[in-house]
């Protein structure tokens, strides 16, 4: 065995389906996030931050046991006993919901939750949990909330499909707040955000699932239409037939897709009220000069959607072409034990937006000043002046140890794009001064230590 092999140390790699956002790309992320925050505030939305993991049952109950996300993609947090020990209140609650077996109230502390936690696969469930828990309904008639952050799904990674990805999402939740105008406003906000990020040429698809009863009607109609054709569909679709027939319409398998494309639907499964609501949503969207395409096959795989559902589809993204999606979910808040609040929202996928806008070049961030110190004594002084300059909010840096030559330090200053270089040698140390060199003109001036901050501030105005 070679010596080289013995000394080989395992190098760790990034987990599959995740990505490092390096400093060179972070500027693109910052730009998306800050543009989003500006627009969201203009539309009256406030930020909410919820944990990245929640009780696994929250996801199961909100998204539905039959959804792919819950069925195949939930990333469970290891059931560490000290983490999932329940409080008495939680244990009582679980007991009352029939979720606990062998419940012994004498031993409630340290009793393990039989549910455990999962990393959030999307943002809505956590926001709704927080809305209910913090009684936001008592504080405002309509809570307009937005979030941004990582989501986790155990997917098969491919271009545009990750296991850790990021969403920017909004939720407008309020008791008795259902209004076609609010649906249209939320859709318009999604369009505005995508435009602000630099996207054009994306399509807005829209459909209505109607009420819970309308959905039930639709699933009966769908099962009826598909019954004799089922053998032509993939295994996944065949199992979706009983569990969640809507998901068949979403199948990405080319053979299934072709068969679905050949089917024809309209909105006849919707009640007259649901049809009128949907018409009103589309008219309101049109009144804002936004084009949308009615797609009766747009369903959304999660149980909680009712009435309006929509998707933003981008060009040039290959098979993962959804930039964002959302819809109305009127029953979810009350289903999770909250008030009778209606809600509508969407989430945009940040990685997909970035893929779609392409590599962005950002002007390099230039340093205002760079300290050049000649010799150890001067370095010690420069170290303090550097700190002083920074405290006055002028960006400044220097070599991280003494001993560098004038030439090497000037090279460093140049590399960092410093506008001014402050040179401190033996002579300047004696005179309590620095030589300030303007890097674009080459002009130099001798400035006292006391005046250097004021001097830089004036020059940098
Ligand atoms: P969904 O919650 O599935 O409706 O997703 C909303 C948006 O998040 C999608 O339109 C995508 O832009 C993005 N998204 C969802 N899943 C992933 C994923 N696995 N990887 C990257 N982006 C995703």
């Amino acid at each position: 065995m070679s010596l080289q092999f013995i000394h080989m140390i395992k190098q760790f790699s990034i987990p599959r389906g995740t990505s490092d956002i390096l400093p060179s790309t972070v500027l693109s992320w910052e730009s998306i996030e800050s543009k989003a925050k500006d627009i969201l505030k203009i539309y009256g939305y406030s930020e909410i931050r919820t944990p990245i993991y929640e009780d696994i049952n929250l996801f199961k109950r909100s998204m539905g046991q039959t959804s792919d996300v819950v069925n195949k993609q939930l990333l469970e947090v290891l059931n560490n006993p000290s983490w999932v020990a329940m409080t008495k209140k939680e244990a009582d609650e679980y007991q009352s919901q029939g979720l606990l077996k062998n419940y012994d109230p004498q031993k409630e502390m340290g009793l393990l939750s039989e549910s455990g936690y999962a990393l959030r696969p999307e943002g809505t469930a956590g926001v709704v949990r927080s809305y209910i828990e913090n009684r936001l309904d008592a504080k405002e008639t309509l809570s307009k909330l937005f979030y941004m952050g990582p989501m986790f799904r155990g997917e098969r990674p491919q271009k545009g499909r990750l296991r850790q990805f990021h969403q920017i999402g909004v939720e407008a939740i309020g008791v008795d707040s259902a209004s076609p105008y609010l649906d249209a406003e939320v859709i318009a906000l999604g369009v505005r955000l995508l435009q602000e990020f630099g996207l054009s040429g994306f399509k807005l698809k829209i459909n209505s699932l109607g009420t819970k009863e309308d959905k039930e009607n639709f699933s009966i109609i769908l099962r009826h239409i598909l019954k004799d054709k089922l053998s032509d569909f993939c295994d996944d679709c065949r199992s979706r037939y009983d569990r969640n027939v809507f998901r068949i319409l979403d199948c990405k398998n080319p053979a299934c897709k072709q068969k679905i494309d050949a089917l024809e639907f309209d909105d006849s499964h919707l009640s007259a009220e649901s049809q009128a609501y949907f018409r009103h949503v589309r008219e309101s969207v049109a009144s804002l000069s936004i084009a949308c395409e009615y797609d009766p096959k747009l369903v959304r795989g999660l149980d909680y959607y009712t009435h309006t559902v929509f998707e933003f589809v981008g060009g040039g993204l290959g098979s993962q072409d959804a930039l964002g999606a959302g819809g109305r979910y009127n029953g979810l808040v009350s289903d999770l034990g909250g008030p009778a609040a209606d809600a509508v929202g969407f989430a945009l996928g940040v990685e997909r937006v970035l893929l779609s806008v392409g590599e962005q070049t950002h002007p390099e961030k230039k340093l205002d000043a760079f300290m050049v110190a000649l010799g150890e004594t001067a370095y010690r002084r420069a170290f303090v002046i550097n700190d002083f300059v920074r405290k006055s909010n002028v960006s400044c840096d220097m070599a991280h140890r003494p001993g560098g030559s004038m030439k090497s330090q000037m090279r460093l200053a140049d590399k960092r794009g410093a506008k001014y270089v402050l040179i401190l040698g033996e002579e300047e140390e004696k005179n309590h001064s620095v030589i300030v060199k303007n890097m674009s003109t080459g002009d130099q001036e001798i400035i006292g230590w006391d005046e250097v901050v004021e001097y830089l501030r004036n020059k940098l105005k």
Side-chain angles (χ1 to χ4, degrees), residues 260-284:
I260 293 297
D261 285 346
L263 300 176
E264 293 209 355
F265 302 119
D266 54 22
D267 62 358
S268 56
H269 57 280
L270 297 179
S271 68
E273 284 96 343
S274 298
Q275 285 182 355
Y277 188 94
F278 186 39
R279 217 173 16 253
H280 202 150
V281 172
R282 284 159 69 188
E283 283 164 9
S284 310

Side-chain angles (χ1 to χ4, degrees), residues 94-114:
Y94 279 120
Q95 167 72 356
S96 71
Q97 292 167 13
L99 289 169
L100 274 184
K101 290 175 227 125
N102 308 324
Y103 176 55
D104 178 355
Q106 300 307 311
K107 295 190 204 149
E108 74 279 348
M109 295 310 289
L111 189 76
L112 291 195
S113 157
E114 293 189 13

Side-chain angles (χ1 to χ4, degrees), residues 142-206:
L142 182 66
S143 299
K144 288 174 148 192
L145 306 166
F146 79 85
Y147 58 84
M148 26 182 89
M151 307 294 158
F152 306 84
R153 293 183 194 174
E155 306 231 43
R156 195 142 33 89
Q158 65 178 83
K159 190 177 173 218
R161 192 163 76 191
L162 293 151
R163 289 185 178 161
Q164 176 176 334
F165 58 98
H166 297 74
Q167 286 185 339
I168 296 176
V170 310
E171 316 291 352
I173 315 173
V175 174
D176 200 17
S177 69
S179 154
Y181 291 106
L182 188 56
D183 297 33
E185 185 196 282
V186 165
I187 290 171
L189 171 56
V191 171
R192 175 75 194 277
L193 283 170
L194 292 173
Q195 286 170 341
E196 204 68 24
F197 300 154
L199 289 165
S200 56
F202 57 87
K203 248 199 260 168
L204 164 63
K205 290 185 178 180
I206 189 167

Side-chain angles (χ1 to χ4, degrees), residues 17 63 69 73 121-124 147 151-168 247 300-302 304-305 310-313 317 320-326 346-353 355:
M63 282 177 264
V69 175
Q73 300 169 353
E122 52 101 67
T124 304
Y147 58 84
M151 307 294 158
F152 306 84
R153 293 183 194 174
E155 306 231 43
R156 195 142 33 89
Q158 65 178 83
K159 190 177 173 218
R161 192 163 76 191
L162 293 151
R163 289 185 178 161
Q164 176 176 334
F165 58 98
H166 297 74
Q167 286 185 339
I168 296 176
R247 287 297 289 174
R300 310 278 303 115
L302 311 180
Y304 55 61
Y305 287 112
F310 54 91
E311 202 165 77
F312 303 107
V313 188
L317 280 175
Q320 304 302 314
D321 62 352
L323 291 161
F346 65 76
L348 305 177
V350 181
E351 282 83 355
R352 302 244 178 115
V353 166
L355 267 177

